[in-house]
Coordinates of all heavy atoms in Angstrom, one line a residue:
M1 N -317.5 -204.7 -46.6 CA -316.4 -204.7 -47.5 C -315.5 -203.5 -47.2 O -316.0 -202.4 -47.1 CB -316.9 -204.7 -48.9 CG -315.9 -204.6 -50.0 SD -316.6 -204.7 -51.6 CE -316.0 -203.2 -52.3
Q2 N -314.2 -203.7 -47.2 CA -313.3 -202.6 -47.0 C -312.9 -201.9 -48.3 O -312.7 -202.6 -49.3 CB -312.1 -203.1 -46.3 CG -311.2 -202.0 -45.7 CD -310.1 -202.7 -44.8 OE1 -309.7 -203.8 -45.0 NE2 -309.7 -201.9 -43.8
M3 N -312.9 -200.6 -48.3 CA -312.5 -199.9 -49.6 C -311.0 -200.0 -49.9 O -310.2 -199.8 -49.0 CB -313.0 -198.4 -49.4 CG -312.7 -197.6 -50.7 SD -313.4 -195.9 -50.5 CE -315.0 -196.2 -51.0
T4 N -310.7 -200.2 -51.1 CA -309.3 -200.3 -51.6 C -309.0 -198.9 -52.2 O -309.9 -198.1 -52.5 CB -309.1 -201.4 -52.5 OG1 -309.8 -201.1 -53.7 CG2 -309.5 -202.8 -52.0
L5 N -307.7 -198.7 -52.6 CA -307.4 -197.5 -53.3 C -308.1 -197.4 -54.6 O -308.6 -196.3 -55.0 CB -305.9 -197.5 -53.6 CG -305.0 -197.2 -52.3 CD1 -303.5 -197.4 -52.7 CD2 -305.3 -195.9 -51.7
A6 N -308.2 -198.5 -55.3 CA -309.0 -198.5 -56.6 C -310.4 -198.2 -56.4 O -311.0 -197.4 -57.2 CB -308.8 -199.9 -57.3
D7 N -311.1 -198.7 -55.4 CA -312.4 -198.4 -55.1 C -312.6 -196.9 -54.8 O -313.5 -196.2 -55.3 CB -313.0 -199.1 -53.9 CG -313.0 -200.6 -54.1 OD1 -313.2 -201.1 -55.2 OD2 -312.9 -201.3 -53.0
F8 N -311.6 -196.3 -54.0 CA -311.7 -194.9 -53.7 C -311.6 -194.1 -54.9 O -312.3 -193.1 -55.1 CB -310.5 -194.6 -52.7 CG -310.5 -193.2 -52.2 CD1 -311.2 -192.9 -51.0 CD2 -309.9 -192.2 -52.9 CE1 -311.3 -191.6 -50.6 CE2 -309.9 -190.9 -52.4 CZ -310.6 -190.6 -51.2
L9 N -310.7 -194.4 -55.8 CA -310.5 -193.6 -57.1 C -311.8 -193.8 -57.9 O -312.1 -192.8 -58.6 CB -309.3 -194.1 -57.8 CG -308.0 -193.8 -57.1 CD1 -306.8 -194.4 -57.8 CD2 -307.7 -192.3 -56.9
D10 N -312.4 -194.9 -58.0 CA -313.6 -195.1 -58.7 C -314.7 -194.2 -58.2 O -315.5 -193.6 -59.0 CB -314.1 -196.5 -58.7 CG -313.2 -197.5 -59.5 OD1 -312.5 -197.0 -60.4 OD2 -313.3 -198.7 -59.3
V11 N -314.8 -194.1 -56.9 CA -315.9 -193.3 -56.3 C -315.6 -191.8 -56.4 O -316.4 -191.0 -56.7 CB -316.1 -193.7 -54.8 CG1 -317.0 -192.7 -54.1 CG2 -316.6 -195.1 -54.7
H12 N -314.3 -191.4 -56.1 CA -314.0 -190.0 -56.0 C -313.3 -189.3 -57.2 O -313.2 -188.1 -57.2 CB -313.0 -189.8 -54.7 CG -313.7 -190.1 -53.4 ND1 -314.6 -189.3 -52.8 CD2 -313.7 -191.2 -52.7 CE1 -315.0 -189.8 -51.7 NE2 -314.5 -191.0 -51.6
G13 N -313.0 -190.1 -58.2 CA -312.4 -189.6 -59.4 C -311.0 -189.0 -59.1 O -310.3 -189.4 -58.2
G14 N -310.6 -188.1 -60.0 CA -309.2 -187.5 -59.9 C -309.0 -186.6 -58.8 O -310.0 -186.0 -58.3
S15 N -307.8 -186.5 -58.3 CA -307.5 -185.7 -57.1 C -307.7 -184.2 -57.3 O -307.8 -183.5 -56.3 CB -306.0 -186.0 -56.7 OG -305.1 -185.6 -57.8
E16 N -307.8 -183.8 -58.5 CA -308.0 -182.3 -58.7 C -309.4 -181.9 -58.1 O -309.6 -180.7 -57.9 CB -307.9 -181.9 -60.1 CG -308.9 -182.5 -61.1 CD -308.5 -183.9 -61.6 OE1 -307.4 -184.4 -61.2 OE2 -309.4 -184.5 -62.2
T17 N -310.3 -182.8 -57.9 CA -311.7 -182.4 -57.4 C -311.8 -182.8 -55.9 O -312.9 -182.6 -55.4 CB -312.8 -183.1 -58.2 OG1 -312.6 -184.5 -58.1 CG2 -312.7 -182.7 -59.7
W18 N -310.8 -183.3 -55.3 CA -311.0 -183.8 -53.9 C -311.0 -182.7 -52.9 O -310.3 -181.6 -53.0 CB -309.8 -184.7 -53.5 CG -309.8 -186.0 -54.2 CD1 -310.7 -186.5 -55.1 CD2 -308.7 -187.0 -54.1 NE1 -310.3 -187.7 -55.6 CE2 -309.1 -188.0 -55.0 CE3 -307.5 -187.0 -53.4 CZ2 -308.3 -189.2 -55.1 CZ3 -306.8 -188.2 -53.6 CH2 -307.1 -189.2 -54.4
S19 N -311.8 -182.9 -51.8 CA -311.8 -182.0 -50.7 C -310.6 -182.4 -49.8 O -310.0 -183.4 -50.0 CB -313.1 -182.1 -49.9 OG -313.2 -183.4 -49.3
S20 N -310.4 -181.6 -48.8 CA -309.3 -181.9 -47.8 C -309.7 -183.2 -47.1 O -308.8 -184.0 -46.8 CB -309.1 -180.8 -46.8 OG -310.3 -180.5 -46.1
T21 N -310.9 -183.5 -46.9 CA -311.3 -184.8 -46.2 C -311.0 -186.0 -47.1 O -310.6 -187.0 -46.7 CB -312.8 -184.8 -45.9 OG1 -313.1 -183.6 -45.1 CG2 -313.3 -186.0 -45.2
D22 N -311.3 -185.8 -48.4 CA -311.0 -186.8 -49.4 C -309.5 -187.1 -49.4 O -309.1 -188.3 -49.5 CB -311.4 -186.4 -50.8 CG -312.9 -186.4 -51.0 OD1 -313.6 -187.0 -50.2 OD2 -313.4 -185.7 -51.9
V23 N -308.7 -186.1 -49.4 CA -307.2 -186.3 -49.4 C -306.8 -187.0 -48.1 O -306.0 -188.0 -48.2 CB -306.5 -184.9 -49.4 CG1 -305.0 -185.1 -49.2 CG2 -306.7 -184.2 -50.8
E24 N -307.3 -186.7 -47.0 CA -307.0 -187.4 -45.7 C -307.4 -188.8 -45.8 O -306.7 -189.7 -45.4 CB -307.6 -186.7 -44.5 CG -307.0 -185.4 -44.2 CD -307.6 -184.7 -43.0 OE1 -308.1 -185.4 -42.1 OE2 -307.6 -183.5 -43.0
S25 N -308.6 -189.1 -46.3 CA -309.1 -190.5 -46.5 C -308.1 -191.3 -47.4 O -307.8 -192.4 -47.1 CB -310.5 -190.5 -47.0 OG -311.4 -189.9 -46.2
Y26 N -307.7 -190.7 -48.5 CA -306.8 -191.4 -49.4 C -305.5 -191.7 -48.7 O -305.0 -192.8 -48.9 CB -306.6 -190.5 -50.6 CG -305.8 -191.2 -51.7 CD1 -306.4 -192.2 -52.5 CD2 -304.4 -190.9 -51.9 CE1 -305.6 -192.8 -53.5 CE2 -303.7 -191.5 -52.8 CZ -304.3 -192.5 -53.6 OH -303.5 -193.1 -54.6
L27 N -305.0 -190.7 -48.0 CA -303.7 -191.0 -47.3 C -303.8 -192.1 -46.3 O -302.9 -192.9 -46.1 CB -303.2 -189.7 -46.6 CG -302.8 -188.6 -47.6 CD1 -302.4 -187.3 -46.9 CD2 -301.7 -189.0 -48.5
V28 N -304.9 -192.2 -45.6 CA -305.1 -193.3 -44.6 C -305.2 -194.6 -45.4 O -304.6 -195.6 -45.0 CB -306.4 -193.1 -43.8 CG1 -306.8 -194.3 -43.1 CG2 -306.3 -191.9 -42.9
L29 N -305.9 -194.6 -46.5 CA -305.9 -195.9 -47.3 C -304.5 -196.2 -47.8 O -304.2 -197.4 -47.9 CB -306.9 -195.7 -48.5 CG -308.3 -195.8 -48.2 CD1 -309.2 -195.5 -49.4 CD2 -308.7 -197.2 -47.8
C30 N -303.7 -195.2 -48.2 CA -302.3 -195.5 -48.6 C -301.5 -196.2 -47.5 O -300.6 -197.0 -47.8 CB -301.6 -194.2 -49.1 SG -302.2 -193.6 -50.7
E31 N -301.8 -195.8 -46.3 CA -301.1 -196.4 -45.1 C -301.6 -197.9 -44.9 O -300.8 -198.7 -44.6 CB -301.3 -195.6 -43.9 CG -300.6 -194.3 -43.9 CD -300.9 -193.4 -42.7 OE1 -301.5 -193.9 -41.7 OE2 -300.5 -192.3 -42.7
I32 N -302.8 -198.1 -45.2 CA -303.4 -199.5 -45.1 C -302.9 -200.3 -46.2 O -302.6 -201.5 -46.0 CB -304.9 -199.4 -45.0 CG1 -305.4 -198.7 -43.7 CG2 -305.5 -200.8 -45.0 CD1 -306.8 -198.4 -43.7
Y33 N -303.0 -199.8 -47.4 CA -302.6 -200.5 -48.7 C -301.4 -199.8 -49.3 O -301.5 -199.1 -50.3 CB -303.7 -200.5 -49.7 CG -305.0 -201.2 -49.2 CD1 -306.1 -200.5 -48.8 CD2 -305.0 -202.6 -49.1 CE1 -307.2 -201.1 -48.3 CE2 -306.2 -203.2 -48.6 CZ -307.3 -202.5 -48.2 OH -308.4 -203.1 -47.8
P34 N -300.2 -200.0 -48.8 CA -299.1 -199.3 -49.4 C -298.8 -199.9 -50.8 O -299.1 -201.1 -51.1 CB -297.9 -199.7 -48.5 CG -298.3 -200.9 -47.7 CD -299.8 -200.9 -47.7
P35 N -298.3 -199.1 -51.7 CA -298.0 -199.6 -53.0 C -297.0 -200.7 -53.0 O -296.2 -200.8 -52.2 CB -297.5 -198.4 -53.8 CG -297.2 -197.4 -52.7 CD -297.9 -197.7 -51.5
L36 N -297.2 -201.6 -54.0 CA -296.3 -202.8 -54.0 C -294.9 -202.4 -54.4 O -293.9 -203.0 -54.0 CB -296.8 -203.8 -55.1 CG -298.1 -204.4 -54.8 CD1 -298.6 -205.3 -55.9 CD2 -298.1 -205.2 -53.5
Y37 N -294.7 -201.3 -55.2 CA -293.4 -200.8 -55.6 C -293.4 -199.3 -55.4 O -294.4 -198.6 -55.6 CB -293.2 -201.1 -57.1 CG -293.4 -202.6 -57.5 CD1 -294.5 -203.1 -58.1 CD2 -292.3 -203.5 -57.2 CE1 -294.7 -204.4 -58.4 CE2 -292.5 -204.8 -57.5 CZ -293.6 -205.3 -58.1 OH -293.7 -206.6 -58.4
G38 N -292.2 -198.9 -55.2 CA -291.9 -197.4 -55.1 C -291.7 -196.8 -56.5 O -291.6 -197.6 -57.5
P39 N -291.7 -195.5 -56.6 CA -291.5 -194.9 -57.9 C -290.3 -195.4 -58.7 O -290.3 -195.6 -59.9 CB -291.4 -193.4 -57.5 CG -292.1 -193.3 -56.2 CD -291.8 -194.6 -55.5
V40 N -289.1 -195.5 -58.0 CA -287.9 -195.9 -58.7 C -288.1 -197.4 -59.2 O -287.7 -197.7 -60.3 CB -286.7 -195.8 -57.7 CG1 -285.5 -196.4 -58.3 CG2 -286.5 -194.4 -57.4
E41 N -288.7 -198.2 -58.4 CA -288.9 -199.6 -58.9 C -289.9 -199.6 -60.0 O -289.6 -200.4 -61.0 CB -289.5 -200.4 -57.7 CG -288.5 -200.6 -56.6 CD -289.1 -201.2 -55.3 OE1 -290.2 -200.6 -54.9 OE2 -288.6 -202.2 -54.8
M42 N -290.9 -198.8 -60.0 CA -291.9 -198.8 -61.1 C -291.2 -198.3 -62.4 O -291.5 -198.7 -63.5 CB -293.1 -197.9 -60.8 CG -294.0 -198.6 -59.8 SD -294.7 -200.2 -60.3 CE -295.6 -199.7 -61.7
E43 N -290.3 -197.3 -62.2 CA -289.6 -196.7 -63.4 C -288.7 -197.8 -64.0 O -288.7 -198.0 -65.2 CB -288.8 -195.5 -63.0 CG -289.7 -194.3 -62.7 CD -289.0 -193.3 -61.8 OE1 -287.8 -193.4 -61.5 OE2 -289.7 -192.3 -61.4
A44 N -288.1 -198.6 -63.2 CA -287.2 -199.7 -63.6 C -288.0 -200.8 -64.3 O -287.6 -201.3 -65.4 CB -286.4 -200.3 -62.5
I45 N -289.2 -201.1 -63.8 CA -290.0 -202.1 -64.4 C -290.5 -201.7 -65.7 O -290.5 -202.4 -66.7 CB -291.2 -202.4 -63.4 CG1 -290.7 -203.2 -62.2 CG2 -292.3 -203.2 -64.2 CD1 -291.8 -203.3 -61.1
A46 N -291.0 -200.4 -65.8 CA -291.5 -199.9 -67.1 C -290.3 -199.8 -68.1 O -290.5 -200.2 -69.3 CB -292.0 -198.5 -66.9
A47 N -289.2 -199.4 -67.7 CA -288.0 -199.3 -68.6 C -287.7 -200.7 -69.1 O -287.4 -200.9 -70.3 CB -286.8 -198.6 -68.0
G48 N -287.6 -201.6 -68.2 CA -287.3 -203.0 -68.6 C -288.3 -203.6 -69.6 O -287.9 -204.3 -70.5
G49 N -289.5 -203.4 -69.3 CA -290.6 -203.9 -70.2 C -290.5 -203.3 -71.6 O -290.6 -204.0 -72.6
H50 N -290.2 -202.0 -71.7 CA -290.0 -201.3 -73.0 C -288.7 -201.8 -73.7 O -288.7 -201.9 -74.9 CB -290.1 -199.8 -72.9 CG -291.5 -199.3 -72.6 ND1 -292.5 -199.5 -73.4 CD2 -292.0 -198.7 -71.5 CE1 -293.6 -199.0 -72.9 NE2 -293.3 -198.5 -71.7
D51 N -287.7 -202.0 -72.9 CA -286.5 -202.6 -73.5 C -286.7 -203.9 -74.1 O -286.2 -204.2 -75.3 CB -285.3 -202.7 -72.5 CG -284.7 -201.4 -72.1 OD1 -284.8 -200.4 -72.9 OD2 -284.2 -201.3 -71.0
Q52 N -287.5 -204.8 -73.4 CA -287.8 -206.1 -74.0 C -288.6 -206.0 -75.3 O -288.4 -206.7 -76.2 CB -288.5 -206.9 -73.0 CG -287.6 -207.4 -71.8 CD -288.4 -208.2 -70.8 OE1 -289.6 -208.2 -70.8 NE2 -287.7 -208.8 -69.8
A53 N -289.6 -205.1 -75.2 CA -290.4 -204.8 -76.4 C -289.6 -204.3 -77.6 O -289.8 -204.8 -78.7 CB -291.6 -203.8 -76.1
A54 N -288.7 -203.4 -77.3 CA -287.8 -202.9 -78.4 C -287.0 -204.0 -79.0 O -286.9 -204.1 -80.3 CB -286.9 -201.8 -77.9
A55 N -286.5 -204.9 -78.2 CA -285.6 -206.0 -78.7 C -286.5 -206.9 -79.6 O -286.1 -207.3 -80.7 CB -285.0 -206.7 -77.6
A56 N -287.7 -207.2 -79.1 CA -288.6 -208.1 -79.9 C -289.0 -207.5 -81.2 O -289.0 -208.2 -82.2 CB -289.8 -208.5 -79.0
E57 N -289.4 -206.2 -81.1 CA -289.8 -205.5 -82.3 C -288.7 -205.4 -83.4 O -288.9 -205.6 -84.6 CB -290.3 -204.2 -82.0 CG -291.7 -204.2 -81.3 CD -292.0 -202.9 -80.6 OE1 -291.2 -202.1 -80.2 OE2 -293.2 -202.7 -80.4
A58 N -287.5 -205.1 -82.9 CA -286.3 -205.0 -83.8 C -286.0 -206.4 -84.4 O -285.6 -206.5 -85.6 CB -285.1 -204.5 -83.0
S59 N -286.2 -207.5 -83.6 CA -286.0 -208.8 -84.2 C -286.9 -209.1 -85.3 O -286.6 -209.7 -86.3 CB -286.1 -209.8 -83.0 OG -286.0 -211.1 -83.5
V60 N -288.2 -208.8 -85.1 CA -289.2 -209.0 -86.1 C -288.9 -208.2 -87.3 O -289.0 -208.6 -88.5 CB -290.6 -208.7 -85.6 CG1 -291.7 -208.7 -86.7 CG2 -291.0 -209.7 -84.5
A61 N -288.5 -206.9 -87.1 CA -288.1 -206.0 -88.2 C -287.0 -206.6 -89.0 O -287.0 -206.6 -90.3 CB -287.8 -204.6 -87.7
D62 N -285.9 -207.1 -88.3 CA -284.8 -207.7 -89.0 C -285.2 -208.9 -89.8 O -284.7 -209.1 -91.0 CB -283.7 -208.1 -88.0 CG -283.0 -206.9 -87.3 OD1 -283.1 -205.8 -87.8 OD2 -282.4 -207.1 -86.3
H63 N -286.1 -209.7 -89.3 CA -286.6 -210.9 -90.0 C -287.3 -210.5 -91.3 O -287.1 -211.0 -92.4 CB -287.4 -211.8 -89.1 CG -288.0 -213.0 -89.7 ND1 -287.2 -214.1 -90.0 CD2 -289.2 -213.3 -90.2 CE1 -287.9 -215.0 -90.6 NE2 -289.1 -214.5 -90.7
L64 N -288.2 -209.5 -91.1 CA -289.0 -209.0 -92.3 C -288.1 -208.4 -93.3 O -288.3 -208.6 -94.5 CB -290.1 -208.0 -91.8 CG -291.2 -208.6 -91.0 CD1 -292.0 -207.5 -90.4 CD2 -292.1 -209.4 -91.9
A65 N -287.1 -207.6 -92.9 CA -286.2 -207.0 -93.8 C -285.4 -208.0 -94.6 O -285.2 -207.9 -95.8 CB -285.3 -206.0 -93.1
G66 N -285.0 -209.1 -93.9 CA -284.3 -210.2 -94.5 C -285.1 -210.9 -95.5 O -284.5 -211.5 -96.5
D67 N -286.4 -210.9 -95.4 CA -287.3 -211.6 -96.3 C -287.7 -210.6 -97.4 O -288.6 -211.0 -98.2 CB -288.5 -212.2 -95.6 CG -288.2 -213.4 -94.8 OD1 -287.1 -214.0 -95.0 OD2 -289.0 -213.8 -94.0
G68 N -287.2 -209.4 -97.4 CA -287.5 -208.5 -98.5 C -288.8 -207.6 -98.2 O -289.3 -207.0 -99.2
H69 N -289.3 -207.6 -97.0 CA -290.5 -206.9 -96.7 C -290.1 -205.5 -96.1 O -290.3 -205.3 -94.9 CB -291.4 -207.7 -95.8 CG -291.8 -209.0 -96.3 ND1 -292.7 -209.2 -97.4 CD2 -291.4 -210.2 -95.9 CE1 -292.8 -210.4 -97.6 NE2 -292.1 -211.1 -96.8
A70 N -289.6 -204.6 -96.9 CA -289.1 -203.4 -96.4 C -290.1 -202.5 -95.7 O -289.9 -201.9 -94.7 CB -288.4 -202.6 -97.5
D71 N -291.3 -202.4 -96.3 CA -292.4 -201.6 -95.7 C -292.8 -202.1 -94.3 O -292.9 -201.3 -93.3 CB -293.6 -201.5 -96.6 CG -293.3 -200.7 -97.9 OD1 -292.3 -199.9 -97.9 OD2 -294.1 -200.8 -98.8
A72 N -293.0 -203.4 -94.2 CA -293.4 -204.0 -92.9 C -292.3 -203.8 -91.9 O -292.5 -203.6 -90.7 CB -293.8 -205.4 -93.1
A73 N -291.0 -204.0 -92.4 CA -289.9 -203.9 -91.5 C -289.8 -202.5 -90.9 O -289.5 -202.3 -89.8 CB -288.6 -204.3 -92.2
G74 N -290.1 -201.5 -91.8 CA -290.0 -200.1 -91.3 C -291.0 -199.8 -90.2 O -290.7 -199.1 -89.3
I75 N -292.2 -200.4 -90.4 CA -293.2 -200.3 -89.3 C -292.7 -200.8 -88.0 O -292.8 -200.2 -86.9 CB -294.5 -200.9 -89.7 CG1 -295.1 -200.2 -90.9 CG2 -295.5 -201.0 -88.6 CD1 -296.3 -200.9 -91.6
W76 N -292.1 -202.0 -88.1 CA -291.6 -202.7 -86.8 C -290.4 -201.9 -86.3 O -290.2 -201.8 -85.1 CB -291.3 -204.1 -87.1 CG -292.5 -205.0 -87.1 CD1 -293.3 -205.2 -88.2 CD2 -293.1 -205.6 -86.0 NE1 -294.4 -206.0 -87.8 CE2 -294.3 -206.3 -86.5 CE3 -292.8 -205.7 -84.7 CZ2 -295.1 -207.0 -85.7 CZ3 -293.7 -206.4 -83.8 CH2 -294.8 -207.1 -84.3
Y77 N -289.5 -201.4 -87.2 CA -288.4 -200.6 -86.7 C -288.9 -199.3 -86.0 O -288.4 -198.9 -84.9 CB -287.5 -200.2 -87.8 CG -286.6 -201.3 -88.3 CD1 -286.5 -201.6 -89.7 CD2 -285.8 -202.0 -87.4 CE1 -285.6 -202.6 -90.1 CE2 -284.9 -203.0 -87.9 CZ -284.9 -203.3 -89.2 OH -284.0 -204.3 -89.7
R78 N -290.0 -198.7 -86.5 CA -290.5 -197.5 -85.8 C -291.1 -197.9 -84.5 O -291.0 -197.1 -83.5 CB -291.5 -196.8 -86.7 CG -290.9 -196.1 -87.9 CD -291.9 -195.2 -88.6 NE -293.0 -195.9 -89.3 CZ -292.9 -196.5 -90.4 NH1 -291.7 -196.5 -91.1 NH2 -293.9 -197.1 -91.0
G79 N -291.7 -199.0 -84.4 CA -292.2 -199.5 -83.1 C -291.1 -199.7 -82.1 O -291.3 -199.4 -80.9
A80 N -290.0 -200.3 -82.6 CA -288.9 -200.5 -81.7 C -288.3 -199.2 -81.2 O -287.9 -199.0 -80.0 CB -287.8 -201.3 -82.4
Q81 N -288.3 -198.2 -82.1 CA -287.8 -196.9 -81.7 C -288.7 -196.3 -80.7 O -288.2 -195.7 -79.7 CB -287.6 -196.0 -82.9 CG -287.2 -194.6 -82.6 CD -285.8 -194.5 -81.9 OE1 -284.9 -195.3 -82.2 NE2 -285.7 -193.6 -81.0
A82 N -290.0 -196.4 -80.8 CA -290.9 -195.8 -79.9 C -290.7 -196.5 -78.5 O -290.7 -195.8 -77.5 CB -292.4 -196.0 -80.4
S83 N -290.5 -197.8 -78.5 CA -290.3 -198.5 -77.2 C -289.0 -198.1 -76.6 O -289.0 -197.9 -75.3 CB -290.2 -200.0 -77.5 OG -291.5 -200.5 -77.9
R84 N -288.0 -197.8 -77.4 CA -286.7 -197.3 -76.8 C -287.0 -195.9 -76.2 O -286.4 -195.5 -75.1 CB -285.6 -197.2 -77.8 CG -285.0 -198.6 -78.1 CD -283.8 -198.5 -79.0 NE -284.1 -198.1 -80.3 CZ -284.4 -199.0 -81.3 NH1 -284.5 -200.2 -81.1 NH2 -284.7 -198.5 -82.5
E85 N -287.8 -195.1 -76.8 CA -288.1 -193.7 -76.3 C -288.9 -193.8 -75.0 O -288.6 -193.1 -74.0 CB -288.9 -192.9 -77.3 CG -288.1 -192.5 -78.5 CD -288.9 -191.9 -79.6 OE1 -290.1 -191.6 -79.4 OE2 -288.3 -191.6 -80.7
Y86 N -289.8 -194.8 -74.9 CA -290.6 -195.0 -73.7 C -289.6 -195.4 -72.6 O -289.8 -195.0 -71.4 CB -291.7 -196.0 -73.9 CG -292.9 -195.4 -74.5 CD1 -293.4 -195.8 -75.7 CD2 -293.7 -194.4 -73.8 CE1 -294.5 -195.2 -76.3 CE2 -294.8 -193.8 -74.4 CZ -295.2 -194.3 -75.7 OH -296.3 -193.7 -76.2
A87 N -288.7 -196.3 -72.9 CA -287.8 -196.8 -71.9 C -286.9 -195.7 -71.4 O -286.7 -195.6 -70.1 CB -286.9 -197.9 -72.4
A88 N -286.4 -194.9 -72.3 CA -285.6 -193.7 -71.9 C -286.4 -192.7 -71.0 O -285.9 -192.2 -70.0 CB -285.0 -193.0 -73.1
A89 N -287.6 -192.5 -71.3 CA -288.5 -191.6 -70.5 C -288.7 -192.2 -69.2 O -288.7 -191.5 -68.2 CB -289.8 -191.3 -71.2
A90 N -289.0 -193.5 -69.1 CA -289.2 -194.1 -67.8 C -288.0 -194.0 -66.9 O -288.1 -193.8 -65.7 CB -289.6 -195.6 -68.0
R91 N -286.8 -194.1 -67.5 CA -285.5 -194.0 -66.7 C -285.3 -192.5 -66.2 O -284.6 -192.3 -65.2 CB -284.3 -194.4 -67.5 CG -284.2 -195.8 -67.7 CD -282.9 -196.2 -68.4 NE -282.9 -197.7 -68.7 CZ -283.5 -198.2 -69.8 NH1 -284.0 -197.5 -70.7 NH2 -283.5 -199.5 -69.9
K92 N -285.9 -191.6 -66.8 CA -285.8 -190.2 -66.4 C -286.8 -189.8 -65.3 O -286.8 -188.7 -64.7 CB -286.0 -189.2 -67.6 CG -284.8 -189.3 -68.6 CD -285.1 -188.4 -69.7 CE -283.9 -188.6 -70.7 NZ -284.2 -187.9 -72.0
G93 N -287.8 -190.7 -65.1 CA -288.7 -190.4 -64.0 C -290.2 -190.6 -64.5 O -290.5 -190.5 -65.7
W94 N -291.0 -190.8 -63.5 CA -292.4 -191.1 -63.8 C -293.1 -189.9 -64.6 O -293.9 -190.1 -65.5 CB -293.2 -191.4 -62.6 CG -294.7 -191.5 -62.8 CD1 -295.7 -190.7 -62.6 CD2 -295.3 -192.6 -63.5 NE1 -296.9 -191.2 -63.0 CE2 -296.6 -192.4 -63.6 CE3 -294.8 -193.8 -64.0 CZ2 -297.5 -193.3 -64.2 CZ3 -295.7 -194.7 -64.6 CH2 -297.0 -194.4 -64.7
W95 N -292.8 -188.7 -64.3 CA -293.5 -187.6 -64.9 C -293.1 -187.4 -66.4 O -293.9 -187.1 -67.2 CB -293.1 -186.3 -64.1 CG -293.7 -186.3 -62.7 CD1 -292.9 -186.4 -61.6 CD2 -295.0 -186.5 -62.3 NE1 -293.7 -186.5 -60.5 CE2 -295.0 -186.6 -60.9 CE3 -296.2 -186.5 -63.0 CZ2 -296.2 -186.7 -60.2 CZ3 -297.4 -186.7 -62.3 CH2 -297.4 -186.7 -60.9
R96 N -291.8 -187.7 -66.7 CA -291.5 -187.7 -68.1 C -292.1 -188.9 -68.9 O -292.6 -188.7 -70.0 CB -290.0 -187.8 -68.3 CG -289.2 -186.6 -67.7 CD -288.3 -186.0 -68.7 NE -287.7 -184.8 -68.2 CZ -286.4 -184.6 -68.1 NH1 -285.6 -185.5 -68.5 NH2 -286.0 -183.5 -67.6
Y97 N -292.2 -190.0 -68.2 CA -292.8 -191.2 -68.8 C -294.3 -190.9 -69.1 O -294.8 -191.2 -70.2 CB -292.6 -192.4 -67.9 CG -293.2 -193.7 -68.4 CD1 -292.6 -194.3 -69.5 CD2 -294.2 -194.3 -67.7 CE1 -293.1 -195.5 -69.9 CE2 -294.7 -195.5 -68.1 CZ -294.2 -196.1 -69.2 OH -294.7 -197.3 -69.7
E98 N -295.0 -190.4 -68.1 CA -296.4 -190.0 -68.2 C -296.6 -189.0 -69.3 O -297.6 -189.1 -70.1 CB -296.9 -189.5 -66.8 CG -298.4 -189.3 -66.8 CD -299.2 -190.6 -66.7 OE1 -298.6 -191.7 -66.4 OE2 -300.4 -190.5 -66.9
A99 N -295.7 -188.0 -69.4 CA -295.9 -186.9 -70.4 C -295.7 -187.5 -71.8 O -296.5 -187.1 -72.7 CB -294.8 -185.9 -70.1
L100 N -294.8 -188.5 -71.9 CA -294.6 -189.1 -73.2 C -295.9 -189.9 -73.6 O -296.3 -189.8 -74.8 CB -293.4 -190.0 -73.2 CG -293.1 -190.7 -74.6 CD1 -292.7 -189.6 -75.6 CD2 -291.9 -191.6 -74.4
H101 N -296.5 -190.5 -72.7 CA -297.8 -191.3 -73.0 C -298.9 -190.3 -73.4 O -299.6 -190.6 -74.3 CB -298.2 -192.0 -71.7 CG -297.7 -193.4 -71.7 ND1 -298.1 -194.4 -72.4 CD2 -296.7 -193.9 -70.9 CE1 -297.5 -195.5 -72.2 NE2 -296.6 -195.3 -71.2
H102 N -298.9 -189.1 -72.8 CA -300.0 -188.2 -73.1 C -299.7 -187.4 -74.4 O -300.7 -186.9 -75.0 CB -300.3 -187.2 -72.0 CG -300.9 -187.9 -70.8 ND1 -302.1 -188.4 -70.8 CD2 -300.4 -188.1 -69.5 CE1 -302.4 -189.0 -69.7 NE2 -301.4 -188.8 -68.9
D103 N -298.5 -187.3 -74.8 CA -298.1 -186.7 -76.1 C -298.4 -187.6 -77.3 O -298.6 -187.1 -78.4 CB -296.6 -186.3 -76.1 CG -296.4 -185.1 -75.2 OD1 -297.3 -184.4 -74.8 OD2 -295.2 -184.8 -74.9
S104 N -298.5 -188.9 -77.0 CA -298.7 -189.8 -78.1 C -300.1 -189.8 -78.7 O -301.0 -189.5 -78.1 CB -298.4 -191.2 -77.6 OG -297.0 -191.3 -77.2

């Protein structure tokens, strides 16, 4: 069985503990299994997904508010706002997006 990037990470853990040999092995695996998307593409995918979530959440909130469920609508509006914040962070780059996830 050939080791994949996921297998490598399962065995070796986070990169902060890697030896120079581990780093070289990981880079070789990256050449064998290049990522499906580059960073810019992944940022666009993440932003698009959060934009869709924000629109759906806002739609539910509008429906709930129209039916007189103000408290429930507020929860959904806050969810939509959070999705918009994630989308904005993703557009600014992976590190901002990742930081927002860890701040939550």
Side-chain angles (χ1 to χ4, degrees):
M1 179 175 119
Q2 195 171 26
M3 183 176 274
T4 66
L5 288 173
D7 296 333
F8 186 89
L9 294 173
D10 286 344
V11 171
H12 295 280
S15 62
E16 62 277 354
T17 62
W18 292 356
S19 67
S20 59
T21 305
D22 292 337
V23 171
E24 288 179 30
S25 297
Y26 184 78
L27 294 175
V28 168
L29 282 172
C30 286
E31 290 175 8
I32 296 170
Y33 299 105
L36 297 176
Y37 304 102
V40 172
E41 293 165 312
M42 287 301 296
E43 291 159 6
I45 290 168
H50 287 298
D51 284 337
Q52 289 176 349
E57 290 164 334
S59 175
V60 170
D62 291 341
H63 180 74
L64 289 168
D67 287 347
H69 303 289
D71 290 340
I75 293 167
W76 283 88
Y77 282 130
R78 286 190 295 280
Q81 179 59 36
S83 292
R84 285 191 287 276
E85 289 172 8
Y86 280 115
R91 285 187 185 88
K92 292 178 183 174
W94 176 253
W95 297 113
R96 295 234 176 125
Y97 182 67
E98 187 75 12
L100 183 61
H101 271 285
H102 290 296
D103 287 344
S104 299

